[in-house]
Amino acid sequence: EKAGYKHFMAKEIAEQPVVLADALKHYSRDGALTLPEGVDFTGVDRVTMVACGTANYACQVAKYWFEQIAGLPCDVDIASEFRYREPPLSDRSWAVFVSQSGETADTLAALRYARDKVARIVSVVNVTTSSIARESDVSLPILAGVEVGVASTKAFTCQLSVLMLLAIKAGLDRGRLTEEDAKAHLADLALLPGLMNHALGLAAEISGIAEKLAEAQDILFLGRGAMFPLALEGALKLKEISYIHAEGYASGELKHGPIALIDNRVPVIVLAPHDALFEKTVSNMQEVMARNGQVLLISDGEGIRVAGHGCWKTLAMPDVPDRLAPILYAIPAQLLAYHTAIAKGTDVDQPRNLAKSVTVE
Ligand code: M6R
């Protein structure tokens, strides 16, 4: 079943170019979207996205897309907070629930809370027969195939792709995007499987870096913009399977507290493609280096050329259209966690204390 891989997680990381291409093919044809009819954002005043764990980080990335591509106000909540906070919801809004298993107890309870309060309950799930899928007005499968590893990998990138397609549709329905713009976005998405294959080719280099990371007690991940939630995801993945304490921060938050942690024993992983925010992130990175922090800069060729000097390590990613960087950079984040866990000899597919599907609160 592991198809020659040592772990399900390794297999599932490697499958991403193929499953992502399948998902894109399912939801678009000839440069146009083929989302189900119920997906029409006309008159929708807000999207509220609710999920747990990695699925929540996918929502946090998508918030940037809904706001920037579609100009649509967007909230993201943790399901266990949402359900008990009982927030007021607009009857013109959509509530979007994202879940690999479709059975996460808090996410399901949050969905039931939102029922009858919002215009539409939409879910983005992997398991199409799940409770969350069944109880939604519209359910969009992410088509990742069965995910066995407790650490979610291919479900995350497929969730992101489907959420990006929704943001494009919202942009069209709200008159923010022309058909031509949408076509250009879809053409960018179609580049991802190839770029992911390229990123997967960095595994040997990442495994070398991971051997060093495995010695650390604490690791920080930094990112800005839509790369901030990816920093959270990188930290979650690492702590889940390697048991190393890791935190993700928005780069700009560094000087508001976490910089106090920095010394030469704390690796700081900076997820920063050479985009409009790059210089800002680099200045945060330099603050880390000035305190002897060990920086691993994950960027593209240009980013590393401009800012790689003085870093502990650099990892050169292929160029990627700006908005899609969180999807592509998920691969090195996953591979770093995986190889660090291997170096530590932990149980990658069945980490201690964790279940694949959290059906109790
Ligand atoms: O099945 P779900 O997507 O609803 O699960 C949500 C979280 O429990 C899940 O993403 C968890 O955080 C993973 N173990 C992360 O790798």
Side-chain angles (χ1 to χ4, degrees), residues 188-246:
D188 284 349
L189 277 164
L191 299 171
L192 274 174
L195 295 172
M196 284 180 146
N197 272 321
H198 184 144
L200 289 166
L202 301 171
E205 201 179 333
I206 290 175
S207 146
I209 297 171
E211 276 179 34
K212 293 281 172 211
L213 288 181
E215 294 165 13
Q217 295 255 332
D218 308 281
I219 297 180
L220 293 186
F221 285 76
L222 301 182
R224 253 181 203 269
M227 298 303 279
F228 160 46
L230 189 69
L232 300 174
E233 167 63 4
L236 175 65
K237 213 93 301 171
L238 186 78
K239 76 181 96 167
E240 254 187 317
I241 59 169
S242 76
Y243 314 145
I244 294 175
H245 172 238

Side-chain angles (χ1 to χ4, degrees), residues 27-86:
Y27 290 112
S28 61
R29 196 173 313 118
D30 303 329
L33 290 166
T34 56
L35 287 159
E37 253 179 39
V39 183
D40 184 341
F41 286 86
T42 313
V44 174
D45 65 357
R46 176 173 290 270
V47 170
T48 299
M49 289 191 284
V50 182
C52 303
T54 287
N56 181 275
Y57 297 146
C59 296
Q60 291 194 40
V61 170
K63 177 182 168 79
Y64 291 82
W65 296 337
F66 278 107
E67 291 178 353
Q68 293 173 353
I69 296 173
L72 182 56
C74 181
D75 300 316
V76 180
D77 238 306
I78 295 167
S80 56
E81 287 300 315
F82 178 89
R83 65 180 286 196
Y84 293 115
R85 197 172 77 251
E86 304 190 342

Side-chain angles (χ1 to χ4, degrees), residues 52-55 98-102 104 150-152 159 236-237 240 358:
C52 303
T54 287
V98 180
S99 174
Q100 187 286 129
S101 63
T104 299
V150 164
S152 188
Q159 284 160 354
L236 175 65
K237 213 93 301 171
E240 254 187 317
V358 184

